């Protein structure tokens, strides 16, 4: 029987090895899974993990996907470390997209160079506002932010549907549920010429730096971590629990809202339903896979983007169903969480032999 | 004693990494005896008991039980052999009731167990409500549950780890009566303590540990306290703190008619609490825990703030603070050492440096919202050196320190804040004699420097040793102020059980 003996200190070696072990296990189990599906396993794996690096185009698509995942996951991880569980980033992303879209929808002829920056600000505020509803319920009525943020995501997608089928529907759009195409000034500048990669990747990197300063250097970050690890110590020291809830949810909402704005002003170019593509939920996985640490999240968001792009090509080259890609992402998280046990615990195989008689 | 010993340990050693907790321990526990294991905190008493109780396994050495070698690999196995244990740190599930906790180890329906709990509770003055949830119980009540659970299994040997620290004087005598009765009925007792007088009053044999080794085996009834202490700490007993007469200054804390109904269905409501503490005096609050100590501590510390209308009910440094939170009270010069060290007074997963930041952040450790790492480390280092905290470094996680060392760190941190009013709850609970004496000397020194100290404690000797005045808390009500000089332990005991003071309200 294995026994789990808590370590005196979290093992640094184990915490570095854990994600790689998880990745290795994911590869092995995926191979078996694809074989059982009757798909060419080797080709599928090649498509998943190698093809994204084979062409400049697909690699640029990986970078494009990395941006929003990185941005949202950095925001969420701050809350997760304070044990404030915002799992409704998808809703905050939708609100960010809606608020940002309001400008080009109502000012379709504006050519102001301040248009896209104003959209980013509006989007971030929209996401933060949506998250603040959950913060208000939590601090005022002690309603679980897990449920409130999740349910608000459903409300947000209905709001999106209403706008796209009603007032914001493109009159020249053949009745498709989508807004007008945005003008040039409403689009994010491209970062790498010839690709779709835009400055939203810089937002993600800036968020990484900000999150690192907040969590590693600032007293506010320290207070958040104390509140997460030992709530009674936080209240003993007089750190206000309500403030931790507000900070966590507002920062998470801000990041998700900004990501939503960058989606409509970036690869999509208009407001449409596909803006709710699951970044908000995937970012939860990304945050945990990165150990809730700012630098870890840079790696995990990139890895998750690779699997997403690789998954797209695997669907083509290896004929994998879309669900299989989701399963691979899920496996990665499960194996990582299991591997994390090794970070806090030593595994001891106890001897069975015992001379005691009863 | 004739025949084989009930329990015999030969050359037992146990190490944790580089720490030798037990080295070549020999121990014989006879049938029908009360055997003391005496030692300071960190001497290896708890480790030794865990080896006997099957929680840990020795690296080398032999354990014989009734003449046969055994290797208990779990506490369940030890219990089957007939060994029961009452831990110092309780092993109870907080979300279950008393009866449910007991039913996890003891066979029988919950109703039957509840009845037996009430019976035994009445017999041994260990009253607890079998249907109460453990999370709502005080530290003292939890220990009562542990003792009851052990007694219900009817063992041949009971190990008690510092069992008297939370009992009132009258109940200690009753517990001793109980233990003697159990011995006379053939149950041996292994009694772990650092309280010399108790061991001399109760035990037939004493094995003394120091730094993991046996330093003596004596008949405690023949030995003097001084001899025992010297064997235990390896040098002369530290003298008790010098206790000059207090020179009370202005009132620093004033509570006038505090009434507080608790939200917790198993909590204690406070009524009509009035007390004051002046600069330059130590005021104690005696009483068995579970009589409102937890609630009073939370209200005085500001962890539970009162409504704005009640702001004048509590005054600190001559300002109304009833409505203020913990941080605002601290800014006025208030500091607090809570009863629970892990998870309240300190964050176990964080290093000592970060734990210094918890309450010392206002002392230049934070500038423009950023933590100053060097100042933080220097503060923690100064605290460790000044208050003799034994730790490999200030980077060690708080959870890795022994209870006594962590307590020294927390008290040191709060004293380094130079408070005008220091409030300490159970400052020496579970702390060894050396550390406890050091802590009391520090408190007296702080008083002599002009600070006011309010101390909640269950240890009457401690209260009489360093306090100038006492109150007694019983069922959420506070006794009148009692001068320590001119008050006897028995009088305090009467207030503790509610026997005194009834006419005062008539």
């Amino acid at each position: 029987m294995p026994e789990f003996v808590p370590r005196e200190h979290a093992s640094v070696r184990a915490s570095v090895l854990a994600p790689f072990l998880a990745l290795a296990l994911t590869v092995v189990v995926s191979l078996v899974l694809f074989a059982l599906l009757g798909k060419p396993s080797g080709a599928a794996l090649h498509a998943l993990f190698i093809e994204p690096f084979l062409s400049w185009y697909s690699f640029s698509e990986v970078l494009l996907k990395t941006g929003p995942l990185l941005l949202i996951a950095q925001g969420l991880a701050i809350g997760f470390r304070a044990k404030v569980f915002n799992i409704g980033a998808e809703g905050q992303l939708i609100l960010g997209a809606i608020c940002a879209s309001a400008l080009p929808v109502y000012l379709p002829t504006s050519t102001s160079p301040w248009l896209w920056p104003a959209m980013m600000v509006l989007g971030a505020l929209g996401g933060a506002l949506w998250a603040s509803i959950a913060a208000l319920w939590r601090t005022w009525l002690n309603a679980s932010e897990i449920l409130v943020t999740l349910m608000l995501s459903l409300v947000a997608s209905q709001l999106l549907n209403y706008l796209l089928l009603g007032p914001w529907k493109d009159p020249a759009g053949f009745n498709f549920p989508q807004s007008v195409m945005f003008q040039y000034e409403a689009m994010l500048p491209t970062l790498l010429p010839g690709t779709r990669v835009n400055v939203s990747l810089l937002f993600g990197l800036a968020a990484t730096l900000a999150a690192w300063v907040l969590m590693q250097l600032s007293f506010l970050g320290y207070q958040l971590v104390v509140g997460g690890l030992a709530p009674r110590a936080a209240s003993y020291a007089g750190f206000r629990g309500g403030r931790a809830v507000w900070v966590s949810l507002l920062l998470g909402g801000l990041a998700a809202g900004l990501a939503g704005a960058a989606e409509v002003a970036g690869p999509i170019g208009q407001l449409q339903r596909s803006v709710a593509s699951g970044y908000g939920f995937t970012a939860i996985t990304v945050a945990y896979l990165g150990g809730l640490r700012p630098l870890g999240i840079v790696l995990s968001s990139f890895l998750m983007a690779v699997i997403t792009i690789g998954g797209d090509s695997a669907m083509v080259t290896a004929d994998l169903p879309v669900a299989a890609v989701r399963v691979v992402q899920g496996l990665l998280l499960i194996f990582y969480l299991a591997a994390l046990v090794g970070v806090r615990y030593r595994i001891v195989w106890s001897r069975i032999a015992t001379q005691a008689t009863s | 004693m004739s025949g084989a010993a009930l329990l015999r340990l030969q050359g037992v050693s146990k190490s944790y990494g580089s720490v030798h907790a037990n080295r070549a321990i020999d121990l014989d526990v006879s049938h029908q005896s009360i055997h003391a294991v005496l030692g300071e905190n960190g001497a290896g008493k708890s480790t030794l008991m865990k080896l006997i109780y099957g929680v840990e396994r020795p690296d080398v050495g032999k354990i014989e039980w009734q003449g046969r070698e055994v290797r208990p690999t779990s506490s369940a196995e030890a219990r089957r052999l007939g060994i029961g244990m009452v831990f110092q740190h309780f092993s109870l599930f907080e979300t279950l009731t008393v009866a449910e906790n007991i039913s996890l180890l003891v066979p029988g329906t919950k109703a039957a167990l509840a009845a037996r709990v009430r019976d035994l509770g009445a017999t041994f003055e260990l009253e607890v409500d079998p249907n109460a949830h453990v999370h709502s119980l005080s530290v003292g009540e939890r220990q009562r549950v542990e003792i009851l659970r052990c007694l219900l299994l009817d063992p041949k040997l009971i190990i008690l780890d510092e069992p008297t620290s939370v009992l009132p004087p009258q109940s200690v005598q009753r517990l001793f009566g109980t233990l003697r009765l159990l011995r006379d009925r053939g149950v041996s007792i292994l009694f772990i303590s650092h309280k010399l007088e108790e061991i001399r009053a109760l035990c037939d044999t004493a094995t003394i540990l120091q730094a993991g080794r046996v330093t003596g085996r004596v008949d405690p009834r023949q030995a003097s306290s001084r001899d025992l202490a010297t064997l235990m700490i390896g040098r002369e007993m530290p003298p008790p703190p010098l206790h000059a007469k207090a020179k009370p200054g202005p009132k620093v804390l004033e509570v006038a008619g505090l009434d507080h109904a608790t939200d917790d269905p198993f909590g204690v409501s406070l009524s009509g609490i009035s007390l004051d503490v002046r600069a330059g005096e130590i005021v104690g609050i005696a009483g068995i825990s579970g009589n409102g100590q937890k609630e009073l501590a939370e209200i005085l510390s500001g962890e539970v703030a009162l409504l704005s209308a009640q702001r004048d009910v509590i005054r600190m440094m001559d300002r109304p603070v009833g409505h203020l939170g913990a941080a605002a009270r601290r800014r006025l010069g208030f500091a607090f050492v809570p009863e629970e060290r892990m998870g309240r007074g300190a964050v176990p997963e964080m290093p000592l440096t970060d734990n210094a930041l918890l309450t010392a952040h206002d002392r230049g450790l934070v500038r423009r919202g950023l933590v100053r790492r060097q100042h933080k480390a220097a503060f923690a280092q100064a605290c460790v050196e000044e208050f003799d905290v034994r730790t490999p470094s200030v980077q060690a996680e708080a959870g890795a320190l022994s209870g006594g060392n962590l307590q020294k760190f927390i008290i040191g941190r709060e004293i380094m804040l130079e408070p005008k009013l220091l409030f300490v709850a159970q400052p020496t609970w579970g702390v060894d004699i050396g550390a406890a004496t050091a802590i009391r000397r520090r408190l007296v020194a702080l008083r002599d420097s002009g600070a006011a100290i309010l101390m909640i404690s269950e240890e009457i000797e401690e209260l009489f040793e360093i306090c100038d005045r006492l109150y007694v808390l019983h069922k959420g009500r506070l006794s009148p102020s009692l001068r320590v000089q001119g008050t006897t332990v028995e009088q305090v005991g009467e207030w503790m059980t509610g026997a005194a003071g009834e006419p005062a309200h008539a």
Side-chain angles (χ1 to χ4, degrees), chain A residues 206-257:
Chain A
T208 304
L209 184 66
W212 184 80
V213 170
L214 177 70
M215 300 315 279
Q216 295 295 315
L217 303 183
S218 84
F219 186 51
L220 178 62
Y222 167 82
Q223 289 173 294
L224 292 176
V225 175
V226 170
L229 286 174
R232 299 197 63 208
S235 98
Y236 158 75
F239 304 159
R240 294 203 308 278
R243 188 164 72 168
V245 171
W246 277 101
V247 169
S248 299
L249 282 165
L250 287 181
L251 289 180
L254 205 73

Side-chain angles (χ1 to χ4, degrees), chain B residues 230-280:
Chain B
T230 307
L231 285 169
M232 179 167 82
I233 63 177
R235 55 181 195 274
E236 291 279 297
M237 266 286 280
L242 291 172
H243 198 259
K245 202 168 159 43
K247 300 177 210 64
K251 280 183 189 173
V252 171
L253 171 68
E254 215 180 335
V255 180
L258 167 69
D259 293 304
H260 188 262
T262 172
D263 297 337
D264 182 345
F266 303 106
V268 178
S269 290
L270 304 172
S271 67
I273 304 270
S274 292
L275 65 91
D276 58 80
V277 185
R278 291 169 179 276

Side-chain angles (χ1 to χ4, degrees), chain B residues 182-409:
Chain B
L182 284 166
R183 174 192 58 191
D184 296 342
R185 289 182 187 170
V187 180
S188 289
I189 308 287
L190 202 46
F191 188 89
I192 306 169
S193 182
H194 63 268
K195 291 188 183 169
L196 308 171
E197 291 308 323
E198 284 179 356
I199 284 174
R200 294 183 62 224
L202 178 72
C203 300
D204 318 314
T205 322
T207 297
I208 299 151
L209 295 185
Q210 192 217 323
R213 295 179 195 279
V214 175
T215 53
R217 286 183 194 81
V218 297
D219 180 341
R221 291 163 299 192
Q222 311 294 327
S224 73
S225 286
R226 204 186 152 83
D227 299 339
L228 291 175
T230 307
L231 285 169
M232 179 167 82
I233 63 177
R235 55 181 195 274
E236 291 279 297
M237 266 286 280
L242 291 172
H243 198 259
K245 202 168 159 43
K247 300 177 210 64
K251 280 183 189 173
V252 171
L253 171 68
E254 215 180 335
V255 180
L258 167 69
D259 293 304
H260 188 262
T262 172
D263 297 337
D264 182 345
F266 303 106
V268 178
S269 290
L270 304 172
S271 67
I273 304 270
S274 292
L275 65 91
D276 58 80
V277 185
R278 291 169 179 276
E281 66 171 356
I282 301 181
V283 174
I285 295 181
I288 308 157
S289 80
N291 276 287
Q293 281 87 346
K294 192 177 83 180
E295 291 79 3
L296 182 61
E298 283 172 351
I299 289 174
L300 290 182
S301 71
E303 287 160 288
V304 172
L306 302 176
L307 299 173
S308 234
Q310 290 172 287
R311 55 197 300 162
D312 278 312
V313 170
I314 305 172
R315 296 180 69 84
M316 285 179 184
M317 291 33 108
D318 218 21
R319 291 172 59 170
V321 299
H323 60 301
L324 296 180
R329 293 187 198 189
R330 284 180 171 278
R331 280 194 287 274
L332 294 175
F334 171 74
F336 172 45
V337 178
E339 181 179 347
E340 299 95 340
R341 302 187 261 275
M342 297 287 187
R344 188 166 168 204
V347 184
E349 297 91 341
M350 285 186 163
L352 292 181
T353 49
D354 280 348
N355 273 296
L357 198 55
L358 195 61
T359 59
H361 51 83
D362 276 349
R363 299 191 72 80
L365 306 191
V366 175
R367 188 173 56 186
R368 282 192 229 109
L370 297 184
V371 176
R372 301 163 89 180
R373 300 174 72 92
Q374 265 144 27
H375 289 72
K376 177 176 80 171
F379 185 96
Q381 188 64 40
C383 184
V384 162
E385 282 167 15
E386 175 74 15
F387 291 85
D388 188 28
V389 180
R390 314 251 168 94
T391 172
S393 90
V394 290
Q395 300 303 333
E397 287 178 14
L401 265 64
S402 73
N405 277 312
L406 185 55
Q407 184 71 345
K408 282 194 278 188
F409 180 81

Side-chain angles (χ1 to χ4, degrees), chain A residues 327-342:
Chain A
V327 169
V328 172
Q329 291 180 347
L331 284 174
L332 191 59
L333 181 65
I334 296 282
F335 284 129
Y336 179 67
L337 294 179
L340 272 190
V341 173

Side-chain angles (χ1 to χ4, degrees), chain A residues 107-276:
Chain A
L107 304 170
T109 54
S110 165
T111 53
S112 162
W114 293 102
L115 191 58
W116 74 259
M119 288 167 66
M120 294 303 114
V121 172
L122 273 186
L125 290 179
L129 201 68
W130 203 243
S132 72
I133 300 173
L136 187 70
W137 283 164
R138 164 73 193 271
T139 50
W140 189 25
L141 299 172
N142 207 20
S144 160
E145 76 283 3
I146 300 177
L147 293 178
V148 175
T149 52
L150 184 63
M151 291 191 291
L152 280 174
S153 290
L154 304 177
V155 176
S157 65
Q158 292 309 315
L159 186 63
L160 179 67
N161 280 338
Y162 163 74
L163 289 171
L164 293 179
L165 295 168
W168 287 11
K169 188 165 65 180
D170 181 3
F174 306 104
N175 223 16
F176 279 105
Q178 57 195 29
S179 75
V180 292
M181 291 299 292
F182 296 168
Q183 64 268 44
Y184 175 77
E185 287 74 15
M187 300 296 289
L188 288 177
T190 304
L191 193 64
L192 302 173
T195 70
R196 300 203 292 161
V197 181
N198 58 46
V199 294
S200 76
L201 186 60
L202 298 183
F203 299 162
L205 294 174
T208 304
L209 184 66
W212 184 80
V213 170
L214 177 70
M215 300 315 279
Q216 295 295 315
L217 303 183
S218 84
F219 186 51
L220 178 62
Y222 167 82
Q223 289 173 294
L224 292 176
V225 175
V226 170
L229 286 174
R232 299 197 63 208
S235 98
Y236 158 75
F239 304 159
R240 294 203 308 278
R243 188 164 72 168
V245 171
W246 277 101
V247 169
S248 299
L249 282 165
L250 287 181
L251 289 180
L254 205 73
L258 182 57
E263 279 300 291
V264 290
I268 301 182
Q270 64 183 154
L271 186 64
Q272 60 176 35
R273 280 171 175 172
S274 68
V275 72

